[in-house]
Coordinates of all heavy atoms in Angstrom, one line a residue:
A215 N -57.0 11.8 91.3 CA -57.0 12.9 90.3 C -58.5 13.3 90.1 O -59.4 12.5 90.1 CB -56.4 12.4 89.0
V216 N -58.7 14.6 89.8 CA -60.0 15.1 89.4 C -60.1 15.1 87.9 O -59.0 15.2 87.2 CB -60.2 16.6 90.0 CG1 -60.1 16.6 91.5 CG2 -59.2 17.5 89.4
P217 N -61.2 14.9 87.4 CA -61.4 14.8 85.9 C -61.1 16.1 85.2 O -61.2 17.2 85.8 CB -62.8 14.4 85.7 CG -63.5 14.8 86.9 CD -62.5 14.7 88.0
E218 N -60.7 16.0 84.0 CA -60.3 17.2 83.2 C -61.5 18.2 83.1 O -61.3 19.4 83.1 CB -59.8 16.8 81.8 CG -59.3 17.9 80.9 CD -58.8 17.4 79.6 OE1 -59.1 16.2 79.3 OE2 -58.1 18.2 78.9
R219 N -62.7 17.6 83.0 CA -63.9 18.5 82.8 C -64.0 19.5 84.0 O -64.3 20.7 83.8 CB -65.1 17.6 82.8 CG -66.5 18.4 82.8 CD -66.6 19.3 81.6 NE -67.9 19.9 81.5 CZ -68.1 21.2 82.0 NH1 -67.1 21.9 82.6 NH2 -69.3 21.7 82.0
L220 N -63.7 19.0 85.2 CA -63.8 19.8 86.4 C -62.6 20.8 86.4 O -62.8 22.0 86.8 CB -63.8 19.0 87.7 CG -63.8 19.7 89.0 CD1 -65.0 20.7 89.1 CD2 -63.8 18.7 90.2
A221 N -61.4 20.4 86.0 CA -60.3 21.3 86.1 C -60.5 22.4 85.1 O -60.2 23.6 85.4 CB -59.0 20.5 85.7
W222 N -61.0 22.2 83.9 CA -61.3 23.2 83.0 C -62.4 24.2 83.5 O -62.4 25.4 83.2 CB -61.7 22.7 81.6 CG -60.5 22.2 80.8 CD1 -60.1 20.9 80.5 CD2 -59.5 23.1 80.2 NE1 -59.0 20.9 79.7 CE2 -58.6 22.2 79.5 CE3 -59.4 24.5 80.1 CZ2 -57.5 22.7 78.8 CZ3 -58.3 25.0 79.4 CH2 -57.4 24.1 78.8
A223 N -63.4 23.6 84.1 CA -64.5 24.4 84.7 C -64.0 25.4 85.7 O -64.4 26.6 85.7 CB -65.6 23.6 85.3
L224 N -63.0 25.0 86.5 CA -62.4 25.9 87.5 C -61.6 27.0 86.8 O -61.4 28.0 87.4 CB -61.5 25.1 88.5 CG -62.3 24.0 89.3 CD1 -61.3 23.3 90.2 CD2 -63.3 24.7 90.2
S225 N -61.2 26.8 85.6 CA -60.4 27.8 84.9 C -61.3 28.7 84.1 O -60.8 29.5 83.3 CB -59.4 27.1 83.9 OG -58.5 26.3 84.6
G226 N -62.6 28.5 84.1 CA -63.6 29.3 83.4 C -64.1 28.8 82.1 O -64.8 29.5 81.4
D227 N -63.6 27.6 81.7 CA -64.0 27.0 80.5 C -65.1 26.0 80.7 O -64.9 25.0 81.4 CB -62.8 26.3 79.8 CG -63.2 25.9 78.4 OD1 -64.3 25.4 78.1 OD2 -62.3 26.0 77.5
D228 N -66.3 26.3 80.2 CA -67.5 25.4 80.4 C -67.8 24.5 79.2 O -68.9 24.1 79.0 CB -68.7 26.3 80.7 CG -69.8 25.4 81.4 OD1 -69.5 24.6 82.2 OD2 -71.0 25.7 81.1
S229 N -66.8 24.1 78.5 CA -66.9 23.1 77.4 C -67.5 21.8 77.9 O -67.1 21.3 79.0 CB -65.6 22.9 76.7 OG -65.1 24.1 76.1
P230 N -68.4 21.2 77.2 CA -69.0 19.9 77.6 C -68.0 18.8 77.7 O -67.0 18.8 77.0 CB -70.1 19.6 76.6 CG -69.7 20.4 75.4 CD -69.0 21.6 75.9
D231 N -68.2 17.8 78.5 CA -67.4 16.7 78.6 C -67.2 15.9 77.3 O -68.3 15.6 76.7 CB -67.9 15.7 79.7 CG -66.9 14.8 80.2 OD1 -66.3 14.0 79.4 OD2 -66.5 14.8 81.4
P232 N -66.0 15.7 76.8 CA -65.9 15.0 75.5 C -66.4 13.6 75.5 O -66.6 13.0 74.4 CB -64.4 15.1 75.2 CG -63.8 15.2 76.6 CD -64.7 16.0 77.4
D233 N -66.6 13.0 76.6 CA -67.1 11.6 76.7 C -68.6 11.5 76.7 O -69.1 10.4 76.9 CB -66.5 10.9 77.9 CG -65.0 10.6 77.7 OD1 -64.6 10.4 76.6 OD2 -64.3 10.5 78.7
L234 N -69.3 12.6 76.6 CA -70.8 12.5 76.6 C -71.3 11.7 75.4 O -70.6 11.7 74.4 CB -71.4 13.9 76.5 CG -71.4 14.8 77.8 CD1 -71.8 16.2 77.5 CD2 -72.3 14.1 78.9
P235 N -72.4 11.1 75.5 CA -73.0 10.3 74.4 C -73.1 11.2 73.2 O -73.4 12.4 73.3 CB -74.3 9.8 74.9 CG -74.2 9.8 76.4 CD -73.3 10.9 76.7
P236 N -73.0 10.7 72.0 CA -73.2 11.5 70.8 C -74.6 12.2 70.8 O -75.6 11.6 71.2 CB -73.1 10.5 69.6 CG -72.3 9.3 70.2 CD -72.7 9.3 71.7
R237 N -74.6 13.4 70.4 CA -75.9 14.2 70.3 C -76.5 14.6 71.6 O -77.6 15.1 71.7 CB -76.9 13.5 69.4 CG -76.4 13.2 68.0 CD -77.5 12.6 67.1 NE -78.4 13.7 66.8 CZ -79.5 13.5 65.9 NH1 -79.7 12.3 65.4 NH2 -80.3 14.4 65.7
A238 N -75.8 14.3 72.7 CA -76.3 14.8 74.0 C -76.2 16.3 73.9 O -75.2 16.9 73.4 CB -75.4 14.3 75.1
R239 N -77.2 17.0 74.5 CA -77.2 18.4 74.4 C -77.6 19.1 75.7 O -78.4 18.5 76.5 CB -78.1 18.9 73.3 CG -79.6 18.4 73.4 CD -80.3 18.5 72.1 NE -81.7 18.2 72.2 CZ -82.2 17.0 72.2 NH1 -81.4 15.9 72.1 NH2 -83.5 16.8 72.3
R240 N -77.1 20.2 76.0 CA -77.5 21.0 77.2 C -78.4 22.1 76.8 O -78.3 22.7 75.8 CB -76.2 21.6 77.8 CG -75.2 20.6 78.3 CD -74.0 21.3 78.9 NE -73.3 22.2 78.0 CZ -72.2 22.8 78.3 NH1 -71.6 22.7 79.5 NH2 -71.6 23.6 77.4
H241 N -79.5 22.3 77.7 CA -80.4 23.3 77.5 C -80.4 24.2 78.7 O -80.8 23.7 79.8 CB -81.8 22.8 77.3 CG -82.0 22.2 75.9 ND1 -82.7 22.9 74.9 CD2 -81.6 21.0 75.3 CE1 -82.7 22.2 73.8 NE2 -82.1 21.1 74.0
P242 N -80.0 25.4 78.6 CA -80.1 26.3 79.8 C -81.5 26.6 80.2 O -82.4 26.3 79.5 CB -79.4 27.6 79.3 CG -79.5 27.6 77.8 CD -79.5 26.1 77.4
P243 N -81.7 27.1 81.4 CA -83.1 27.3 81.9 C -83.8 28.2 80.9 O -83.3 29.2 80.4 CB -82.8 28.0 83.2 CG -81.5 27.6 83.7 CD -80.7 27.5 82.4
G244 N -85.1 27.8 80.7 CA -86.0 28.6 79.8 C -85.8 28.4 78.4 O -86.5 29.1 77.6
S245 N -84.9 27.5 77.9 CA -84.7 27.3 76.5 C -85.4 26.0 75.9 O -85.2 25.7 74.8 CB -83.2 27.2 76.2 OG -82.7 26.0 76.7
A246 N -86.2 25.3 76.7 CA -86.7 24.1 76.3 C -87.9 24.3 75.3 O -88.3 23.3 74.6 CB -87.2 23.3 77.5
G247 N -88.4 25.4 75.2 CA -89.5 25.6 74.2 C -90.6 26.4 74.9 O -90.4 27.0 76.0
S248 N -91.7 26.5 74.3 CA -92.8 27.2 74.8 C -94.1 26.3 74.8 O -94.9 26.4 73.9 CB -93.1 28.5 74.0 OG -93.2 28.2 72.7
A249 N -94.1 25.4 75.8 CA -95.3 24.6 75.9 C -96.5 25.4 76.5 O -96.3 26.3 77.2 CB -95.0 23.4 76.8
P250 N -97.7 25.0 76.2 CA -98.8 25.7 76.7 C -98.9 25.5 78.2 O -98.4 24.6 78.8 CB -100.0 25.1 76.0 CG -99.5 23.7 75.6 CD -98.1 23.8 75.3
P251 N -99.7 26.4 78.9 CA -99.9 26.2 80.3 C -100.6 24.8 80.6 O -101.2 24.3 79.7 CB -100.8 27.3 80.7 CG -100.6 28.4 79.6 CD -100.3 27.6 78.4
A252 N -100.4 24.4 81.8 CA -101.0 23.1 82.2 C -100.6 22.0 81.3 O -101.3 21.3 80.6 CB -102.6 23.2 82.2
A253 N -99.2 21.9 81.2 CA -98.7 21.0 80.2 C -98.6 19.5 80.6 O -98.3 18.7 79.8 CB -97.2 21.4 79.9
S254 N -99.0 19.2 81.8 CA -98.9 17.8 82.2 C -100.0 17.5 83.2 O -100.5 18.3 83.9 CB -97.5 17.6 82.8 OG -97.3 18.4 83.9
S255 N -100.2 16.2 83.4 CA -101.1 15.7 84.4 C -100.4 14.7 85.3 O -99.8 13.7 84.8 CB -102.3 14.9 83.7 OG -103.0 15.8 82.8

Side-chain angles (χ1 to χ4, degrees):
V216 298
E218 186 179 12
R219 172 68 176 91
L220 177 56
W222 279 110
L224 297 178
S225 299
D227 190 319
D228 197 36
S229 300
D231 198 299
D233 288 332
L234 283 172
R237 304 186 69 177
R239 58 197 188 277
R240 298 181 298 185
H241 283 260
S245 68
S248 55
S254 57
S255 300

